[in-house]
Amino acid sequence: MPRLPTPVTLPDRGEKRSARTRPRPLLGKGGAAPDTPPGRHTPRRRLRQETATAWAFVAPSVLVILGLSVVPVIWSLLLSFQADDLVTPSRWVGLDNYRALAQDPHFDQAVRNTLVYTLLYVPLSIGFGLLLALALNRRIRLVGLYRTLIFVPFVISAAAQGVLFSFILDPEFGAANAVLDKFGISPQGFLNDPGQALAALLAISLWSGTGFCVVVLLAALQDVPPSLIEAARLDGAGRLRLLRHVVLPSLGPVMVFLLLWQAITSLQVFDLVYVTTKGGPLGSTTVIVYFIWEQAFKNFTAGYGAAAAYALALALLLLAAVPRLARALRDRFAPDRTPRARARADRHLEGAAR
């Protein structure tokens, strides 16, 4: 006789209620359930482990940064208030090193040389860079080769440049005087002449530093909106007006960056001076960084050199704060040049271009 299927029975309501009100298991130590497998961890514990692993990877870099930058900065700041010859125990002198700097004629000469070098190098490098960038921003044959040849001098180290031009500008056997002799010009002293040494260093720096400005400005020129250029040409703008009213305003942020970068670079020039002239002749090429090195490691007055270094650091901080201060003053006293107004003007120009 065939078997009948077993009837399906529904659980009682009391059983459902007891299943729903069954107490939850208590969490164990660390927020995990007592029956959690030992290989699994809670999210909080996993986060702590990931943080510890991350710090284990970052710790060597942090130690290098602290050991090579932060600690020397603090140590040199304390050293600037001491009389130290790097051999005998140091002696605390307070602000005497800074007072001596204000009365030192050699430091005044180094400051003057550095300012003259900076005031000439910064505008000339940016100006030549802009001219070359405009010339190379065209479709001409071998333009990639020209760009590479202009940028190569920037890659060469300052020490190698100094050695190279020391041979070229040698008063007796250099190639420069040999070329001048072909044109009937008398031999020049160049790096050995107090009146020409700083100008010769400036020319060498322009030969190498202009390539960086060319690359940056060339990239910025290629980002100028073509619609603005076409709109200006349709309005009858010539090359000069196009450059003045369209190209240069678009290069504004890049020009500020180059101005700040080249100024900081010129204030920190050292390698070229050390290799070529060593601050001479008669101190005509002594710049601030070379003065610091000379005081600390040649005259063994490390505290005095540290004070000069912090005078330079203060000048660099003030120079870096100038763009921020100028932007804040412009936004305060020229409300039409606020970010919202500039965005509105940009939308108006784009609409006119379309």
Side-chain angles (χ1 to χ4, degrees):
M1 187 176 178
R3 294 183 180 179
L4 295 177
T6 305
V8 179
T9 57
L10 297 176
D12 191 10
R13 293 182 180 180
E15 295 180 1
K16 283 187 177 181
R17 189 180 297 112
S18 62
R20 289 179 181 177
T21 58
R22 184 178 299 170
R24 297 181 179 178
L26 297 176
L27 297 179
K29 194 174 183 180
D35 55 349
T36 302
R40 297 183 180 179
H41 306 291
T42 60
R44 185 177 301 177
R45 186 176 179 183
R46 189 182 303 113
L47 179 61
R48 287 199 300 264
Q49 290 181 352
E50 292 177 355
T51 303
T53 304
W55 274 109
F57 281 105
V58 176
S61 300
V62 173
L63 292 177
V64 169
I65 294 173
L66 291 176
L68 298 181
S69 60
V70 178
V71 173
V73 166
I74 298 175
W75 178 75
S76 60
L77 177 61
L78 297 177
L79 188 64
S80 66
F81 299 103
Q82 302 175 19
D84 194 343
D85 59 359
L86 300 177
V87 179
T88 59
S90 59
R91 178 172 51 89
W92 188 268
V93 294
L95 297 176
D96 290 349
N97 289 326
Y98 294 94
R99 297 191 187 100
L101 278 178
Q103 302 173 359
D104 190 350
H106 299 289
F107 181 71
D108 293 340
Q109 185 182 20
V111 171
R112 286 196 303 269
N113 293 335
T114 305
L115 290 178
V116 170
Y117 178 87
T118 302
L119 293 176
L120 291 175
Y121 173 75
V122 174
L124 289 177
S125 63
I126 297 177
F128 289 151
L130 180 60
L131 291 177
L132 291 173
L134 290 172
L136 295 176
N137 193 30
R138 300 178 179 180
R139 295 181 179 178
I140 57 178
R141 294 183 59 186
L142 303 177
V143 64
L145 177 63
Y146 300 148
R147 294 173 181 176
T148 304
L149 292 177
I150 290 175
F151 185 70
V152 162
F154 177 75
V155 182
I156 302 175
S157 65
Q161 296 173 25
V163 173
L164 174 64
F165 281 95
S166 295
F167 287 105
I168 295 176
L169 301 179
D170 187 86
E172 297 182 3
F173 309 104
N177 277 330
V179 174
L180 293 178
D181 184 63
K182 297 293 183 180
F183 292 95
I185 301 175
S186 59
Q188 304 296 317
F190 296 119
L191 297 175
N192 292 337
D193 188 348
Q196 299 178 1
L198 190 61
L201 290 180
L202 177 64
I204 299 172
S205 300
L206 289 174
W207 175 76
S208 62
T210 305
F212 176 76
C213 297
V214 171
V215 172
V216 175
L217 290 172
L218 188 59
L221 285 173
Q222 294 176 356
D223 287 338
V224 176
S227 58
L228 297 181
I229 297 177
E230 293 297 330
R233 287 176 177 172
L234 291 176
D235 290 340
R239 290 185 178 180
L240 293 180
R241 291 198 174 188
L242 186 66
L243 177 64
R244 178 181 176 184
H245 297 288
V246 177
V247 176
L248 289 181
S250 301
L251 299 180
V254 177
M255 297 292 283
V256 173
F257 162 75
L258 284 178
L259 183 66
L260 184 61
W261 180 271
Q262 295 294 85
I264 293 175
T265 302
S266 59
L267 289 175
Q268 294 180 333
V269 61
F270 170 76
D271 298 353
L272 189 61
V273 176
Y274 179 80
V275 174
T276 54
T277 62
K278 295 192 181 332
L282 302 177
S284 59
T285 59
T286 300
V287 291
I288 293 180
V289 179
Y290 185 83
F291 176 84
I292 295 169
W293 174 86
E294 190 176 32
Q295 296 300 321
F297 301 105
K298 190 175 180 181
N299 299 336
F300 293 101
T301 53
Y304 192 61
Y310 267 88
L312 175 62
L314 180 61
L316 293 177
L317 287 176
L318 293 177
L319 181 63
V322 167
R324 291 177 175 268
L325 182 61
R327 191 181 301 112
L329 292 176
R330 182 187 60 187
D331 293 341
R332 180 176 181 181
F333 295 103
D336 58 330
R337 300 304 298 167
T338 57
R340 184 176 297 176
R342 288 196 295 269
R344 199 161 46 240
D346 293 340
R347 288 196 298 269
H348 177 70
L349 287 175
E350 292 179 0
R354 286 195 292 268

